[in-house]
Amino acid sequence: MRNTAISGAIVVASLAFAAPSFAGMQQDLADCPDPNRPTSAAACTRILASGRLPKSQHHIAYFNRGWAYRQAGDLVRARADFEATLKLNPRYAWAFYSRALIEREENAPDKAIADLERALAIDSDFAAAHAAIGELLEARGDIARARVHYQRSLAAAPKGIDARSAQARARKRLEALDRQVEASATGAQGSANVRVLSATEKGTAASEAVPAPAPGPDCRRFVPAAGFTISVDCPK
């Protein structure tokens, strides 16, 4: 994953203007925003230590360095840099998202979900954050909420870190959940006459069977694996 589209241009513009005669900085400007370069973390460190970076941009250098550490597998240093980013800019949604990825890898889903919710509170159209929280909610069995986040990921404009690959994952999971709905309905009666009920149609708790409404027969079934209540023709 690369984050050059988010912060690389900002760092380069700030430093190139602030230090036009500092030739040695040019390579660091190229290396720091690219976490896949082995020299990225050291380049970001030199930029921070140079004194030439405006303080308003320090959080971006820490963020870039955090991603370099994460790509290198150093999660401890990555977390520290993402937290430094948030101390300097508490509304930097990308840092909450990035810390959540580390928390997910460390098997701390509650913390990851909390950080993703903070990121979405700042940017409600954060496609990658929606996909990531959807995966975590699905893993804990909260399928209905997971579906909502997958759908919102797909509806958002793809921008920034991991957006397109996250949307591809969201689409894949939604398709898998839809197949589970179809399989459950087919298993119930071997019929393709299936529809998902709206919240008002569900009436009682989703996990409870709902009596068929007059005048015609109607069978309803909750599909836990998909987070849906479905309506199908009653078996004869």
Side-chain angles (χ1 to χ4, degrees):
M1 289 179 280
R2 302 166 71 90
N3 64 330
T4 53
I6 300 169
S7 53
I10 299 174
V11 174
V12 171
S14 299
L15 289 173
F17 180 80
S21 62
F22 189 29
M25 186 70 72
Q26 298 307 309
Q27 189 59 50
D28 288 341
L29 291 174
D31 288 347
C32 177
D34 187 346
N36 296 300
R37 296 190 184 188
T39 54
S40 176
C44 293
T45 298
R46 285 192 293 271
I47 288 171
L48 285 164
S50 71
R52 297 172 182 268
L53 182 66
K55 289 186 177 181
S56 61
Q57 301 298 315
H58 280 197
H59 70 282
I60 297 173
Y62 278 113
F63 177 73
N64 284 336
R65 192 174 68 177
W67 265 85
Y69 284 139
R70 182 178 184 273
Q71 294 297 77
D74 190 341
L75 300 186
V76 173
R77 288 184 176 180
R79 177 195 291 276
D81 274 351
F82 294 143
E83 290 175 353
T85 300
L86 291 169
K87 285 181 180 178
L88 293 170
N89 185 350
R91 292 192 57 78
Y92 202 57
W94 302 106
F96 282 118
Y97 168 76
S98 302
R99 188 171 68 179
L101 296 184
I102 292 176
E103 290 161 342
R104 183 173 64 179
E105 291 179 36
E106 294 176 339
N107 196 29
D110 290 343
K111 291 181 179 179
I113 289 172
D115 268 345
L116 290 168
E117 288 175 340
R118 292 184 183 104
L120 291 170
I122 297 167
D123 181 0
S124 61
D125 292 325
F126 197 153
H130 277 300
I133 198 170
E135 290 166 340
L136 288 164
L137 290 170
E138 183 182 354
R140 65 165 45 173
D142 193 345
I143 306 301
R145 286 178 62 203
R147 289 187 64 93
V148 170
H149 283 288
Y150 290 148
Q151 290 163 346
R152 293 190 66 182
S153 176
L154 294 175
K159 60 183 179 180
I161 297 173
D162 205 21
R164 292 190 183 278
S165 61
Q167 287 179 320
R169 295 196 310 273
R171 184 175 293 105
K172 183 176 180 180
R173 293 310 311 148
L174 276 175
E175 290 171 352
L177 293 174
D178 287 343
R179 286 194 297 270
Q180 292 177 18
V181 173
E182 295 170 3
S184 178
T186 301
Q189 68 169 67
S191 170
N193 185 14
V194 178
R195 68 188 180 88
V196 177
L197 299 183
S198 69
T200 54
E201 288 177 303
K202 290 177 187 178
T204 60
S207 59
E208 299 176 1
V210 181
D218 181 35
C219 288
R220 305 183 185 203
R221 166 174 292 197
F222 182 63
V223 185
F228 276 152
T229 296
I230 59 174
S231 174
V232 299
D233 290 341
C234 294
K236 297 179 180 179

